[in-house]
Amino acid sequence: MNQINYGLMQDSALTIPTLLEHAATNHPDTEVVARMLDGSLFRYNYKVLAERARKAANALSTLGVKYGDVVGTLAWNHHWHMECFYAIPGLGAVCHTINPRLFEEQIVYIINHAKNKILMLDQDFIELAERIVDQIPGIECFVILGAEGCVTAPTGLPNVLYYEDLIKNEPDTIQWPEFDERTASGLCYTSGTTGNPKGVLYSHRSTVLHSLAIAQPDNLSLSAHDCVMPVAPLYHAQSWGLPYGACMVGAKFILPGRQLDGPNLLELIRHEGVTTGCGVPTIWTMVLEHAENKNLDLGELQRLLIGGTALPTSMRDRFRAKGVSAVQIWGMTETSPMGTISRTNREVAQLDTEMLDRQLLKQGRLPYGVKMKIVLADGSRAKHDGETAGDIWVKGPWIANGYLHGDGGDMLDSEGYFPTGDVGHIDQYGFMKITDRSKDVIKSGGEWISSIDIEDIVTGHEAVSMAAVVAAYHNKWDERPILFITLKEGAVLDKTTMQDYLQDKIVKWWMPDDILIIDEMPMTATGKIRKLTLREQYWHHLMPE
Ligand code: ADP
């Protein structure tokens, strides 16, 4: 009778509108700045963002969008897209951010697979939509992000509406519907390098918990003092959760639009006072090159969260020379995306500089909320000795438990862990290091060669722009590494010079069997090197017979 069960604390669902309303109430004047398609800057604040998101939610509701519906977006990083990030899930519907860089047939596939009802799109993607319109019959209307008249040529799409006209006369207040915090909120497909893309479905709860986690000081360390600029697109793991994390803490927010080149990004960094940025290394290379060539400083920039592929040592050092700390983060669409982050703790901070530097180039430690295990071929768990590598499995409240509509089958093992497809090890300090993606692993004479480690060393050479190491078939060793390089503009390099450079930096049996200087790297839809293409094309390169 007197048994105590529940605490006497108020219960309120962890939903996305709570983030928006918090920012609007407590940080109303904090700015949100967007680079428009014509290159100009648009600015407003959280108060107006919230008003417009509420208007958009009212408009979508009038159009018939309701709990459980899926609304697709084909858009760059700007305020319209940010408003969709709140308006759509606020109704209990799902914001499906479509990656426009996927192949057209994949875009058709995911729109149909996710049963999108409405498509919100930038002018830039009208032609794309026109080409595929006959193959996406489920779309009831196309909402162009802008006002009527923003598109000069009349579009061949049926049922076209204009966002600004739609929201113009809607009230800027709303009673956000109440629903379970586990309701689906966002949908993002993996890039589908092998087979069809698979849908990762975030929930309100996972999004709010992930926002709380990324904001912590040992993680992204976001605060109301920050000016945050995600360069990762809103369609790539929801810009790494930053549109939600920024509202939670009330940070100034910069949406860099579609022009993600060195000059444009650096201008925003310097003039808007960006303190924190995030994105894949290829983007930051352009910013660095521009800053170095023009001898420009990086303004108030303090830290860059770099992930998606390994942070090159040379990039870390070049940013450091400009007073900016490049922090490595590891994750995937399926992990919302924060899985690990490479920041010190008391023990690691006391290591000597060389060891500390090496330590921080690992993919990093686990934040509260993520559990990880490294599993060996025989099913046993690897020791945390910083050497024994195996398959990486993860578990936690912002980690997928499967894909939309059951694609891929049951993903979790008997302990509830999700297979990441990455291979790595964990050391005595709890730092995980990726040695490879399992599909990129090179197994030579039964031993693993880490393509990531060789690439890191190669990109340290002054002539190298990008490097990729892939496996080629070998009749004695099964597989041997071959190295592909693209050069910086005007740079010259030949195979022998690279071999000499690598000589004392890697063990002898890691030396690539061939080195090819190519004009262009094949890239994926998320700005990474498409190693699979190289591997397929060059599989018989060493043994043509
Ligand atoms: P895609 O499949 O398009 O690459 P994701 O962004 O989900 O989409 O990719 C996740 C993968 O990217 C991870 O499984 C891992 O292989 C790689 N990755 C992410 N961050 C890092 C990092 N810091 N270092 C090395 N690899 C990384």
Side-chain angles (χ1 to χ4, degrees):
M1 207 57 172
N2 288 328
Q3 194 186 344
I4 291 177
N5 292 321
Y6 293 110
L8 294 174
M9 289 292 122
Q10 297 178 17
D11 196 14
S12 59
L14 303 175
T15 56
I16 286 172
T18 62
L19 299 172
L20 181 71
E21 297 303 342
H22 169 79
T25 308
N26 300 292
H27 307 278
D29 301 324
T30 302
E31 277 187 310
V32 177
V33 182
R35 170 86 74 194
M36 306 296 284
L37 301 182
D38 66 2
S40 64
L41 291 182
F42 169 88
R43 65 182 71 231
Y44 61 8
N45 55 32
Y46 279 127
K47 178 171 177 286
V48 184
L49 164 69
E51 284 166 2
R52 285 174 51 92
R54 292 185 211 116
K55 278 165 163 278
N58 285 323
L60 288 171
S61 181
T62 311
L63 283 179
V65 174
K66 52 182 193 320
Y67 185 89
D69 284 341
V70 183
V71 176
T73 62
L74 261 173
W76 304 117
N77 285 17
H78 46 51
H79 65 295
W80 287 308
H81 207 174
M82 176 93 165
E83 289 163 16
C84 293
F85 263 53
Y86 284 96
I88 300 168
L91 294 173
V94 177
C95 179
H96 173 200
T97 47
I98 302 164
N99 182 344
R101 298 195 197 281
L102 290 175
F103 295 120
E104 233 159 85
E105 58 267 30
Q106 291 180 321
I107 295 179
V108 168
Y109 170 82
I110 66 176
I111 289 176
N112 291 328
H113 185 259
K115 301 190 173 56
N116 285 202
K117 185 171 169 159
I118 290 180
L119 197 55
M120 325 266 293
L121 68 165
D122 273 344
Q123 303 160 38
D124 280 10
F125 302 120
I126 292 176
E127 277 180 23
L128 163 66
E130 284 171 344
R131 285 197 300 275
I132 62 172
V133 63
D134 293 338
Q135 301 167 66
I136 45 172
I139 298 290
E140 292 170 13
C141 68
F142 294 84
V143 177
I144 294 173
L145 296 168
E148 185 154 18
C150 69
V151 193
T152 37
T155 129
L157 296 173
N159 304 326
V160 170
L161 296 166
Y162 292 86
Y163 184 85
E164 291 296 341
D165 301 291
L166 263 183
I167 71 167
K168 197 165 51 192
N169 297 321
E170 292 289 342
D172 63 9
T173 54
I174 194 170
Q175 182 68 43
W176 293 109
E178 281 183 19
F179 42 75
D180 191 312
E181 65 188 22
R182 288 164 297 183
T183 297
S185 62
L187 175 63
C188 201
Y189 279 75
T190 59
S191 60
T193 23
T194 49
N196 278 326
K198 294 197 277 297
V200 178
L201 192 59
Y202 306 113
S203 71
H204 287 258
R205 175 183 154 83
S206 75
T207 305
V208 173
L209 291 176
H210 182 259
S211 304
L212 277 168
I214 58 175
Q216 289 186 348
D218 275 349
N219 300 331
L220 274 56
S221 184
L222 300 179
S223 86
H225 297 270
D226 280 311
C227 173
V228 177
M229 180 169 78
V231 176
L234 289 164
Y235 53 77
H236 190 200
Q238 303 194 319
S239 249
W240 304 8
L242 285 171
Y244 298 121
C247 268
M248 178 176 272
V249 301
K252 178 176 173 183
F253 201 59
I254 311 292
L255 293 141
R258 70 170 163 206
Q259 289 145 301
L260 304 181
D261 51 66
N264 264 301
L265 292 176
L266 193 57
E267 190 204 30
L268 288 170
I269 290 172
R270 286 161 53 90
H271 293 157
E272 297 299 330
V274 173
T275 59
T276 309
C278 81
V280 292
T282 33
I283 295 280
W284 299 116
T285 306
M286 295 189 288
V287 173
L288 261 177
E289 278 172 12
H290 183 65
E292 287 168 351
N293 292 343
K294 301 273 174 210
N295 203 14
L296 295 170
D297 63 51
L298 299 180
E300 296 170 46
L301 193 63
Q302 291 166 15
R303 61 194 173 282
L304 284 177
L305 300 145
I306 299 185
T309 56
L311 163 68
T313 311
S314 53
M315 174 170 287
R316 193 267 314 266
D317 295 344
R318 284 161 76 192
F319 271 119
R320 184 183 280 170
K322 293 207 160 273
V324 173
S325 119
V327 178
Q328 173 146 223
I329 171 165
W330 166 86
M332 52 203 302
T333 307
E334 292 87 333
T335 65
S336 290
M338 184 175 63
T340 63
I341 183 154
S342 204
R343 314 251 346 216
T344 52
N345 56 15
R346 281 169 85 87
E347 201 181 3
V348 169
Q350 280 156 20
L351 296 174
D352 67 47
T353 321
E354 205 189 315
M355 297 238 319
L356 178 62
D357 273 359
R358 220 175 311 134
Q359 195 65 22
L360 291 181
L361 281 169
K362 296 186 178 185
Q363 276 67 20
R365 293 191 289 123
L366 294 168
Y368 166 79
V370 183
K371 287 168 119 182
M372 178 176 282
K373 63 178 178 183
I374 308 278
V375 178
L376 303 176
D378 63 4
S380 64
R381 287 198 189 197
K383 283 192 297 236
H384 291 186
D385 58 5
E387 265 176 34
T388 316
D391 293 318
I392 302 175
W393 294 71
V394 286
K395 177 175 177 172
W398 55 84
I399 290 168
N401 64 20
Y403 294 103
L404 184 65
H405 302 324
D407 286 355
D410 287 340
M411 297 302 295
L412 306 189
D413 70 1
S414 58
E415 294 179 316
Y417 283 78
F418 181 93
T420 65
D422 285 338
V423 175
H425 47 69
I426 298 181
D427 65 20
Q428 74 267 37
Y429 304 111
F431 278 64
M432 182 272 283
K433 178 171 163 34
I434 300 246
T435 49
D436 248 315
R437 274 186 125 156
S438 53
K439 49 182 183 267
D440 296 335
V441 154
I442 305 168
K443 213 159 191 191
S444 175
E447 298 285 341
W448 280 347
I449 295 178
S450 169
S451 65
I452 293 183
D453 284 353
I454 307 178
E455 287 156 10
D456 183 44
I457 295 166
V458 175
T459 41
H461 189 285
E462 58 190 8
V464 175
S465 169
M466 282 192 233
V469 178
V470 302
Y473 171 70
H474 194 281
N475 57 5
K476 180 168 177 207
W477 304 108
D478 291 336
E479 290 179 354
R480 288 294 302 154
I482 50 178
L483 165 63
F484 296 85
I485 294 175
T486 57
L487 298 180
K488 286 189 187 147
E489 222 179 296
V492 215
L493 183 81
D494 58 27
K495 184 173 161 178
T496 331
T497 319
M498 182 43 71
Q499 276 166 337
D500 290 346
Y501 170 79
L502 286 175
Q503 206 78 48
D504 58 350
K505 297 185 177 65
I506 53 175
V507 286
K508 212 166 146 212
W509 63 279
W510 279 29
M511 183 62 83
D513 280 22
D514 200 2
I515 297 176
L516 295 112
I517 316 273
I518 55 175
D519 293 335
E520 216 180 316
M521 283 289 175
M523 302 298 283
T524 72
T526 48
K528 308 180 191 186
I529 299 175
R530 192 182 285 280
K531 285 198 192 177
L532 193 67
T533 306
L534 293 172
R535 190 177 164 126
E536 281 171 359
Q537 267 176 14
Y538 288 85
W539 180 244
H540 293 290
H541 178 71
L542 299 174
M543 304 277 146
E545 68 281 6

